[in-house]
Amino acid sequence: MNYDNQKLIDMLAAEYVLGTLKGPARKRFQRLMLTSNRIREATWMWEQHLNNLASSIKSEPPSDSVWQVISQRIDAKPSVHTVSPEANVIKPKTSIWQAWSLIATAASIVLALIIWQPQAPIQQQTQQIALFKDASEQPLWFIDINEQSLSVKASDKLAARTDKDYELWMILKGQDTPISLGLLPKDGIKSLLKDNRFNAQDIALLAISLEPLGGSPNGLPTEVLYTTELILL
Amino acid sequence: METDELLPLLSATAQGNKQAFAKLYSATSPKLFAISLKMLSNRAHAEEALQDAFVKIWHNASEYQVSKGTVISWMISIVRYRSLDSLRYHKVRKEQSLDDDNAYMEPADQAITVDYEGKSKLVDCMEQLDDQQKQAIHLAYYKGLTHSELVDHIETPLGTVKSWIRRGLQQLQRCLTL
């Protein structure tokens, strides 16, 4: 799909805001929003316009318990007079879907480790990992995050282009601008220096972009190919 | 509920001011809850979506910028997207809101009666759409219906429904940019 076409961007953004863009197309659009100013701006424009439709909906107060729950969920510090100790534990809102997705991803990673390293036992100290797969679920890069570095292994399934480079990015929660983590190996293993902002709790997404040789010319991803989440084990 | 009133509250919320956040909640939650309730037709699900949305607003308040639109529009989007996720999650689970004690059902008539409050350019532009285009966009916006659900709801072939939405949106865009 040609995402340079402004009319197409506008229609996708409109259907995204309306809600009729769904399933994989919706997820793909959300990923594109992370890396494209034009797509973000088109989406904000439609949100601003279409949300005027909400003016016709008559207000209705929710029950009082809603605020109590919100208040408890945002209150990280124990506060004896308002909430019980149990209620102060902030639980990540993990849906069954997300849980299954994590289990499935973890299973893929274990499988990938078995395929790639039949002789080596899975290292006990590994705590943070990521796996990039292509559209047909073939593993492409496996990343093992250590204390000081990111160890990146290219899969033999990877058919890397010789006229391009592949760059790894992290997108921090609440921030629009991706941060480059370095160029990826086209075969074998490469160690990337860990960015001092690399903190598992802050990372919303990892992404790989296709770049001219030498990496992004302007500090931003040129064409995002794959995204994945960091997995904590 | 103008941006002028909400912006200072959201700014203070971004600084971690819970009192301001409580005021922001009081000022906006009846409208935001109604939006979620209209889409989900289930009080319990709508309240859960509202909770999730406000927790997100608390954590992401500093992300808001004026270029994203008014504060209330930004908040409406957060609530709508969370409600859409909830709607599709519960549909997959095949939960029927009729079976739920907390169910709140609107009459299952095909058309949605829309009485816009105040005038905006969007409202003017919506008035210029064909009835079918308007109805399809209304059902998608208010009820979160997908193309295939619209097919069942208004008993029209998929291609026609997609075309109503696409042409309606294109016409809206032309009208909005005039």
Side-chain angles (χ1 to χ4, degrees):
Chain A
M1 205 176 278
N2 178 12
Y3 291 109
D4 291 333
N5 180 331
Q6 188 63 43
K7 277 186 185 166
L8 177 64
I9 289 175
D10 285 335
M11 280 306 102
L12 284 171
E15 295 228 26
Y16 172 79
V17 175
L18 200 57
T20 46
L21 191 69
K22 67 180 187 76
R26 190 170 185 84
K27 288 206 172 105
R28 191 161 58 240
F29 188 83
Q30 284 169 327
R31 288 199 296 269
L32 288 166
M33 275 174 67
L34 289 169
T35 54
S36 164
N37 278 333
R38 287 169 71 192
I39 291 176
R40 276 199 297 273
E41 282 163 10
T43 308
W44 296 339
M45 185 208 66
W46 277 109
E47 286 175 347
Q48 183 62 31
H49 284 311
L50 289 175
N51 285 339
N52 280 304
L53 291 173
S55 69
S56 73
I57 300 175
K58 203 172 160 219
S59 294
E60 176 156 344
S63 64
D64 293 344
S65 62
V66 174
W67 171 251
Q68 287 161 17
V69 174
I70 294 167
S71 183
Q72 286 168 14
R73 281 176 62 184
I74 65 168
D75 211 350
K77 290 177 188 168
S79 176
V80 178
H81 61 280
T82 53
V83 282
S84 67
E86 288 85 356
N88 264 309
V89 179
I90 294 183
K91 292 178 185 167
K93 187 76 185 169
T94 307
S95 72
I96 290 173
W97 283 357
Q98 286 169 319
W100 272 112
S101 161
L102 282 175
I103 291 165
T105 309
S108 311
I109 290 164
V110 170
L111 193 61
L113 283 168
I114 292 166
I115 292 166
W116 288 344
Q117 298 177 320
Q119 307 304 324
I122 297 169
Q123 293 189 353
Q124 295 286 318
Q125 68 270 31
T126 299
Q127 290 182 322
Q128 301 170 17
I129 55 175
L131 179 68
F132 283 93
K133 293 180 286 187
D134 65 11
S136 58
E137 298 289 300
Q138 293 283 358
L140 299 175
W141 283 277
F142 173 74
I143 304 175
D144 186 359
I145 292 95
N146 308 311
E147 207 165 314
Q148 303 291 332
S149 66
L150 279 62
S151 171
V152 187
K153 185 174 170 65
S155 159
D156 54 8
K157 305 281 181 198
L158 174 70
R161 287 175 58 169
T162 52
D163 60 333
K164 296 281 185 185
D165 268 335
Y166 299 85
E167 191 159 350
L168 179 66
W169 305 81
M170 65 175 174
I171 293 128
L172 300 182
K173 287 175 187 165
Q175 290 189 18
D176 294 335
T177 314
I179 297 166
S180 174
L181 296 172
L183 295 180
L184 295 170
K186 294 180 181 175
D187 54 44
I189 299 176
K190 183 179 176 185
S191 184
L192 302 176
L193 197 63
K194 195 170 169 184
D195 189 287
N196 57 13
R197 290 163 291 182
F198 194 106
N199 182 353
Q201 278 69 37
D202 298 335
I203 295 174
L205 210 58
L206 295 172
I208 289 176
S209 66
L210 187 66
E211 301 293 345
L213 290 174
S216 167
N218 57 6
L220 287 170
T222 303
E223 182 188 353
V224 174
L225 299 176
Y226 311 105
T227 60
T228 194
E229 288 175 12
L230 190 63
I231 309 291
L232 305 182
L233 294 179
Chain B
M1 204 160 46
E2 296 299 319
T3 300
D4 291 344
E5 299 165 34
L6 299 180
L7 191 53
L9 294 177
L10 187 67
S11 303
T13 299
Q15 306 293 317
N17 182 334
K18 200 173 161 187
Q19 215 173 1
F21 183 56
K23 283 185 188 163
L24 184 69
Y25 176 85
S26 300
T28 58
S29 60
K31 176 61 106 181
L32 298 177
F33 177 62
I35 292 167
S36 185
L37 183 58
K38 193 167 182 74
M39 192 181 282
L40 295 170
S41 300
N42 178 305
R43 287 197 78 91
H45 295 169
E47 290 191 345
E48 194 180 280
L50 191 70
Q51 284 161 10
D52 290 347
F54 268 95
V55 170
K56 185 167 184 181
I57 289 163
W58 167 257
H59 288 299
N60 292 7
S62 59
E63 239 186 89
Y64 171 78
Q65 44 187 278
V66 177
S67 58
K68 291 185 178 181
T70 58
V71 172
I72 190 65
S73 172
W74 180 75
M75 294 175 77
I76 288 172
S77 293
I78 291 174
V79 169
R80 277 194 76 248
Y81 296 147
R82 182 67 197 92
S83 302
L84 279 171
D85 286 345
S86 170
L87 189 67
R88 279 153 203 180
Y89 172 73
H90 289 293
K91 273 180 189 160
V92 167
R93 294 275 306 268
K94 296 191 189 308
E95 279 192 14
Q96 296 298 312
S97 52
L98 278 174
D99 297 338
D100 195 314
D101 287 344
N102 293 313
Y104 159 98
M105 288 299 289
E106 290 206 331
D109 53 356
Q110 290 187 350
I112 280 192
T113 310
V114 175
D115 183 16
Y116 302 115
E117 183 187 288
K119 276 284 178 189
S120 65
K121 191 159 187 187
L122 189 272
V123 170
D124 290 340
C125 293
M126 282 296 290
E127 299 295 351
Q128 294 174 28
L129 298 185
D130 294 344
D131 285 346
Q132 294 103 328
Q133 292 174 346
K134 208 187 308 179
Q135 188 193 11
I137 290 174
H138 279 163
L139 285 165
Y141 184 84
Y142 294 116
K143 304 298 289 177
L145 297 192
T146 62
H147 290 131
S148 52
E149 288 161 348
L150 283 164
V151 167
D152 298 335
H153 203 84
I154 47 188
E155 294 172 349
T156 305
L158 182 61
T160 313
V161 164
K162 283 188 174 177
S163 159
W164 283 347
I165 298 247
R166 194 176 55 245
R167 288 188 188 163
L169 290 170
Q170 283 167 346
Q171 200 175 320
L172 271 185
Q173 184 166 29
R174 274 195 299 275
C175 173
L176 289 164
T177 49
L178 281 179

